[in-house]
Amino acid sequence: MKTKVQTIISYAKLGPVIPVVTINDASKAVPLAEALVEGGLPVVEITLRTGAAMEAIRQIAKAVPKAVVAAGTVINAEQVMAVVDAGAKMIVTPGTTHRMAEVLAEAAIPVMPGCSTPSEALELAQLGFEALKFFPASVFGGTSWLKAINGPLPHLTFCPTGGIDLNSAPDYLTLPNVPCVGGTWVAPSKMIDAGDFDGIVKLAKDAVAKLRG
């Protein structure tokens, strides 16, 4: 588990933002991943919210070796096995029940499980998970929650996601327990559907420039 946690943290440090993406057409997956890599954001979370998501993961894993493709919105054991088979390099969950945490602890690839309360974070830490997703961040206290949790649980790191944009991201990234944030603004669904990958390259570069200084 320790090696998996270290791998997650290394992924989190590859860019200040992990784009959280919803893909409706798998043919857009490879050019999207290429655009994000070019823009300096190589980690991309493909949410399992559409029928195209699994094929999108599969195509990125095969065709864009510089991308770190994560499977997001994973909510059951069947999906865990499916995304591993599709070639995902990491798993992200929106929240984590005790049973799901046990399944994730045995996953073949690293996992960033979701939490929104101190009790959930503590339980995940006891199972060996030390790099967590804080979701939905803006609803459950944002930076105030992260500052507070750093006191009793300073060994944990978080990727806050949910309601974060280019203007609010800097406040999160100044915190010692936040190596990156997750956000949809870098690769909006409308731009993906329209094939505006040059625009996505620009959004990614703008995010890196502002958030990395």
Side-chain angles (χ1 to χ4, degrees):
M1 178 67 80
K2 201 71 175 178
T3 300
K4 290 180 180 178
V5 170
Q6 291 170 346
T7 299
I8 288 287
I9 293 174
S10 71
Y11 289 160
K13 292 179 178 179
L14 291 175
V17 185
I18 295 178
V20 180
V21 174
T22 300
I23 288 188
N24 297 304
D25 179 356
S27 70
K28 303 290 200 310
V30 169
L32 169 64
E34 291 173 338
L36 291 171
V37 169
E38 182 180 345
L41 299 177
V43 184
V44 54
E45 178 184 334
I46 306 297
T47 62
L48 300 188
R49 299 178 184 178
T50 69
M54 203 68 71
E55 180 59 24
I57 291 170
R58 188 174 292 108
Q59 290 190 20
I60 294 171
K62 288 182 178 179
V64 193
K66 291 183 179 180
V68 176
V69 59
T73 322
V74 175
I75 58 174
N76 58 54
E78 290 76 15
Q79 289 177 332
V80 170
M81 293 184 288
V83 300
V84 171
D85 290 342
K89 293 184 179 179
M90 62 183 282
I91 291 170
V92 185
T93 72
T96 320
T97 64
H98 181 75
R99 174 59 187 142
M100 188 64 179
E102 292 178 333
V103 171
L104 294 170
E106 300 301 321
I109 59 176
V111 179
M112 183 188 293
C115 70
S116 59
T117 69
S119 295
E120 291 170 346
L122 181 58
E123 182 171 14
L124 288 167
Q126 290 173 345
L127 289 170
F129 296 103
E130 296 184 358
L132 310 177
K133 175 177 179 174
F134 174 42
F135 176 81
S138 63
V139 175
F140 280 92
T143 56
S144 297
W145 188 95
L146 290 159
K147 290 175 184 176
I149 203 71
N150 194 51
L153 298 173
H155 60 297
L156 300 185
T157 62
F158 297 87
C159 175
T161 305
I164 299 174
D165 58 21
L166 186 59
N167 293 320
S168 60
D171 293 334
Y172 286 92
L173 292 168
T174 61
L175 302 178
N177 54 351
V178 177
C180 68
V181 300
T184 59
W185 88 87
V186 185
S189 293
K190 288 183 179 179
M191 291 180 72
I192 298 171
D193 291 342
D196 185 7
F197 301 113
D198 288 340
I200 290 173
V201 171
K202 184 179 185 304
L203 288 176
K205 287 184 175 180
D206 288 347
V208 172
K210 179 171 182 177
L211 302 179
R212 278 272 171 87

